[in-house]
Amino acid sequence: MAEMSDSNSDKTTIIQQAIASCCGAIITSLFVTPFDVIKTRLQAQSNPFPKGKCFVYSNGLMDHICVCENGDSKAWYKKPGHFKGTLDAFVKIIQIEGIKSLWSGLPPTLIMALPTTVIYFTCYDQLSEALKSRRGKDDEHIPVLAGSLSRFGSVTVVSPLELIRTRMQYRQLSYKQLYRCISSKVATDGWFSLWRGWSSTVLRDVPFSAMYWYNYERFKKMMCKEVGAHEPTFFIAFTSGAASGSIAAVITLPFDVVKTHRQTELWEGETLKISQRHCTSTWAVMRKIVAKNGITGLFAGVIPRLFKVAPACAIMISTYEYGKSFFSHLNEKMNQRP
């Protein structure tokens, strides 16, 4: 990432990188979550979700599948409201329900999103440093390799946890019941069943990360050179993050559409007891979408995805860079003390 100082002792430690990414994740989710809460509430208002219906909820860090519950209207997305649009919804929710309602549904998703984000960003920095010492600082392939490997690792770790979290959320299982449920699933379908949907997530997230970090590092270097800065300012990191996130989001959109399609189909099938054909490949789902909606079907929702991804990437990377810069300067001061 940024070259904060030439001295190794002034560089940020793993713990400091983890703290910086954790702070970045919290700030990102606090800014982005209200927009997705509003979007979901508007969606539920115009087309109420029936029992077993799924929708994708995002806190700016991760996408999560929410399975609609039956019966009572206590669920945050089922609260009544007569909203004319996004701004009207913001104002009315704050006035009637209180400002906390804009962050409904955030706590359970943060439990997974925070550690995953910390692992991802810390691994990226550590891999970058290791590759730079082997291949040289100016190797342009380093961001691609480090970004791909760190995302591959975090997706693989979190995939079974996402499956477990969704089951707990929908069926309200105790840990004992959850253990029995997972044991029977593993006994029937094998261990790999816990990674169902992993391939479509990898196909979206790994290329996204490779493109994101490659473009981010290039934009950051160009802008630093343009203004004569030794390290990226908050504005440089913010702009580079937004631009690189937008490019990666558009190019990987077909895989995002497939991932959402597969996940919602899986959970709706399970909750509504619809028999499904097993092992539907990513390419088969793509062909199905193209046959039904044409090639444009693979790029459905490009504008909403950009509105969500660009600010999330910009806020996350700029706060992360700022955090690392803060710790780097702190280390420098500590090392200069007699």
Side-chain angles (χ1 to χ4, degrees), residues 17-66:
Q17 287 165 2
I19 293 167
S21 57
C22 190
C23 292
I26 292 166
I27 291 164
T28 304
S29 57
L30 289 175
F31 271 99
V32 178
T33 299
F35 292 100
D36 222 57
V37 168
I38 296 290
K39 185 206 79 177
T40 305
R41 291 284 295 275
L42 286 168
Q43 192 181 340
Q45 177 184 278
S46 60
N47 186 21
F49 301 129
K51 183 198 170 186
K53 181 72 181 170
C54 295
F55 64 89
V56 178
Y57 167 82
S58 175
N59 55 21
L61 305 171
M62 295 174 74
D63 291 340
H64 297 276
I65 292 291
C66 287

Side-chain angles (χ1 to χ4, degrees), residues 25 40 51 68 74 79-80 89 105 113 130 201 216 238 265 272 285 318:
T40 305
K51 183 198 170 186
C68 295
K74 289 178 184 175
K79 287 181 182 177
T201 308
Y216 173 72
F238 189 94
E265 201 174 57
L272 299 171
V285 175
S318 52

